[in-house]
Amino acid sequence: MPKASRSVQLLNIVTAVLMLIALGLVFLYAPRERVMGEVQRIFYFHVPSAWLSFTAFVVTAVAGAVYLRTARPFWDQVASSSVEIGLLFTIMATVSGSIWARPAWNTWWTWDPRLTTYTIMALIYVAYLMLRQGIEDPERRARFAAVYGIVGVISVPITWFSIRWWRTIHPVVIGSGSATAEGGFDMTSKMLTTFLFANLAFTFLYATLLVNRVRLARFSERVEQLKARLLAA
Amino acid sequence: MQAEPRPAARPVATDLAQPAGRARHFLRVVGAIVWKDLAAELRSRELLSAMIVFALLVILTFNFALELDRSPAARERTGAGVLWVATVFTGTLGLNRSLAMEKDRGSLDGMLLAPIDRSALYLGKALGNLLFILLVEAILLPVLAILFNLPMLRPLLLGVVGLGAVGYAAVGTLLASLAMHSRSRDVMLPILLLPVAVPVLVAAVRATSGVLAASAWDEIAPWINLLIGYDVIFIAAAFMLFEYVVEE
């Protein structure tokens, strides 16, 4: 197995350092929120996770579109890797949101539109992975997955709009909040710094995971080729 | 006796070099595919009857599952939901069959070999599927109107049903053609289709219950707009993506 290139190693280290600093900022630097208390610190992980899950799925759709144009397996590897990482971030956002919602809303889960849309989105990408598993021919698998990745990413914003007109209790910290939202707050400058830094760290985390996951996908492709050659010989 | 020389077959009226000729040819191909599906169904009569029986079963099951026998108010509240869940489930059934039949009988390969546009193939299949869903609705709506005592036959409601069915058939045809190539295709289609079709379901249910409750136009209009938007976006997307699904 070839060693990771210099730039990948550097990216890994930078991400680790950034994540450590982000942790430090969240627990030591950011002030305690007056109403919600310590539990508000989840916000610094919850929002970046949610944002990066969206980013990951957009990356999947774009990589899928490029695959359909070029038919280069690399882009399929990017697309499928990004779905896996996106689902990871989706789980992180859901679990952290639940832990926060328990004290803030007095329930682990509500049928709030934002929560429901988010779960539907997660199911679209679970279906994406199941579709991949069900198709044996690698070329067709890549093609179909690309098509479904594009359909999925079109559907998510429409789902979002379709329920936006319902009232939501999910707080909107960035931008204008809804009158019915519960658990919103105004960020102080220290909070904002922490929040922005956490976003930066998580973006690096996504990039690192993606680069390494694509690397893994290429290795497993190589293994398949070597196996095929052994069998043929 | 010498046979009268047969008059030359109808001259090919469509000059494929002309845009108008191409459009006419395109429409003829679409029509032929829809007609093929209809003719096959008229002869076997297996799909439509299964869809209708299934839809009725869904309605009757809901009656017990949601305890709708208790009060007319409960039926009023849930009428729109029952209609659309029945439509969505039944639609999955029809979509699966329509594409699986093409694959099992090898007719899909035949159509792909024919010198026709891929998008004509998509449009033909989608229109056929839409037609089947609408035929089921034609039975479902009066039945619901009687069983639930709801005004299901208002013209506006028929429009909503049409718009919802168009969106569902558009995205459903594309995804059914994905699902039929996967290993467990009968299970695959609902899993692929339902989460993507949620906006149709939301907008259609909202618009339907608005019409049933005789709400003001201002309250119904956004949902109808959303349905139209969804239809346009997904028909366009499916048009562009379908050729990648059938390309071999």
Side-chain angles (χ1 to χ4, degrees):
Chain A
M1 180 161 145
K3 270 183 79 172
S5 71
R6 265 283 167 71
S7 45
V8 172
Q9 285 176 344
L10 186 67
L11 184 64
N12 291 344
I13 293 168
V14 169
T15 304
V17 172
L18 285 177
M19 286 303 287
L20 277 176
I21 299 176
L23 268 176
L25 284 178
V26 168
F27 285 108
L28 304 173
Y29 174 77
R32 192 170 176 281
E33 209 270 330
R34 201 187 317 148
V35 184
M36 280 179 279
E38 303 295 352
V39 75
Q40 178 268 335
R41 294 184 200 275
I42 284 177
F43 165 81
Y44 303 116
F45 289 145
H46 174 73
V47 178
S49 305
W51 264 115
L52 281 163
S53 62
F54 291 128
T55 312
F57 297 140
V58 171
V59 167
T60 297
V62 173
V66 177
Y67 176 82
L68 290 181
R69 286 244 168 260
T70 63
R72 281 185 52 203
F74 170 75
W75 290 107
D76 177 54
Q77 288 159 357
V78 172
S80 62
S81 304
S82 197
V83 164
E84 286 179 14
I85 301 165
L87 276 175
L88 177 74
F89 279 113
T90 309
I91 293 169
M92 294 204 302
T94 311
V95 171
S96 60
S98 252
I99 295 172
W100 175 84
R102 179 68 195 143
W105 294 342
N106 199 25
T107 173
W108 298 106
W109 174 264
T110 66
W111 286 101
D112 175 76
R114 204 188 268 229
L115 273 62
T116 315
T117 325
Y118 198 65
T119 314
I120 293 169
M121 180 186 79
L123 288 176
I124 290 180
Y125 290 97
V126 171
Y128 174 100
L129 291 180
M130 293 176 75
L131 176 69
R132 292 189 72 94
Q133 269 182 356
I135 303 171
E136 262 140 53
D137 174 25
E139 192 271 330
R140 173 182 283 167
R141 183 198 307 142
R143 208 151 30 85
F144 281 21
V147 168
Y148 193 63
I150 294 170
V151 169
V153 98
I154 300 173
S155 171
V156 168
I158 305 180
T159 309
W160 171 233
F161 275 110
S162 72
I163 50 166
R164 220 174 97 105
W165 293 320
W166 292 347
R167 287 191 298 169
T168 176
I169 67 165
H170 191 291
V172 181
V173 179
I174 316 295
S176 61
S178 134
T180 50
E182 283 173 33
F185 58 95
D186 291 320
M187 274 192 280
T188 66
S189 68
K190 276 185 169 182
M191 284 175 164
L192 189 64
T193 312
T194 311
F195 174 67
L196 292 178
F197 194 88
N199 269 304
L200 178 76
F202 267 72
T203 310
F204 267 84
L205 180 62
Y206 167 72
T208 309
L209 289 173
L210 185 65
V211 166
N212 284 294
R213 180 66 187 79
V214 170
R215 210 171 141 248
L216 182 65
R218 306 191 79 153
F219 286 143
S220 63
E221 191 194 6
R222 274 259 295 282
V223 170
E224 288 304 316
Q225 284 168 353
L226 289 175
K227 263 190 202 163
R229 206 190 299 165
L230 264 180
L231 286 175
Chain B
M1 186 173 125
Q2 211 171 21
E4 190 84 353
R6 277 176 62 187
R10 197 155 49 92
V12 183
T14 47
D15 178 5
L16 291 183
Q18 299 288 323
R22 263 206 303 268
R24 217 172 313 142
H25 177 72
F26 185 89
L27 287 181
R28 261 229 310 268
V29 170
V30 171
I33 294 171
V34 175
W35 179 243
K36 167 192 79 69
D37 278 359
L38 263 186
E41 176 57 28
L42 278 177
R43 278 171 209 154
S44 65
R45 291 206 186 84
E46 44 185 14
L47 181 55
L48 206 56
S49 46
M51 284 171 83
I52 289 167
V53 171
F54 182 74
L56 292 177
L57 279 173
V58 171
I59 292 179
L60 294 176
T61 314
F62 264 127
N63 184 52
F64 295 113
L66 301 178
E67 300 191 338
L68 298 182
D69 44 345
R70 295 283 170 78
S71 71
R75 287 196 291 272
E76 260 165 46
R77 263 203 322 277
T78 50
V82 170
L83 168 69
W84 282 102
V85 172
T87 307
V88 162
F89 285 177
T90 314
T92 324
L93 217 63
L95 289 164
N96 238 338
R97 275 294 282 150
S98 130
L99 272 294
M101 241 153 36
E102 299 286 2
K103 185 160 190 283
D104 294 349
R105 296 178 187 169
S107 52
L108 183 67
D109 294 333
M111 283 195 287
L112 289 175
L113 285 172
I116 55 172
D117 209 23
R118 301 288 187 248
S119 47
L121 177 54
Y122 165 75
L123 201 63
K125 286 308 286 181
L127 279 179
N129 289 329
L130 174 65
L131 205 64
F132 282 115
I133 296 176
L134 289 181
L135 284 172
V136 173
E137 297 290 349
I139 311 270
L140 208 56
L141 287 174
V143 169
L144 264 179
I146 294 168
L147 293 184
F148 279 59
N149 196 19
L150 289 172
M152 283 286 180
L153 297 171
R154 293 201 178 139
L156 188 55
L157 199 132
L158 298 184
V160 169
V161 166
L163 285 175
V166 166
Y168 193 62
V171 65
T173 306
L174 177 71
L175 296 185
S177 48
L178 288 185
M180 75 175 167
H181 286 288
S182 81
R183 217 179 299 134
S184 48
R185 61 183 184 200
D186 299 330
V187 202
M188 211 56 230
L189 178 63
I191 292 175
L192 292 178
L193 178 54
L194 292 187
V196 176
V198 164
V200 175
L201 197 65
V202 172
V205 167
R206 289 263 137 177
T208 306
S209 53
V211 176
L212 288 179
S215 310
W217 172 246
D218 287 356
E219 281 176 42
I220 307 171
W223 302 111
I224 292 182
N225 287 340
L226 184 68
L227 272 178
I228 295 172
Y230 183 95
D231 289 1
V232 170
I233 291 170
F234 268 100
I235 291 171
F239 245 91
M240 285 189 282
L241 292 172
F242 190 71
E243 63 174 299
Y244 295 109
V245 176
V246 290
E247 139 196 323
E248 290 306 323

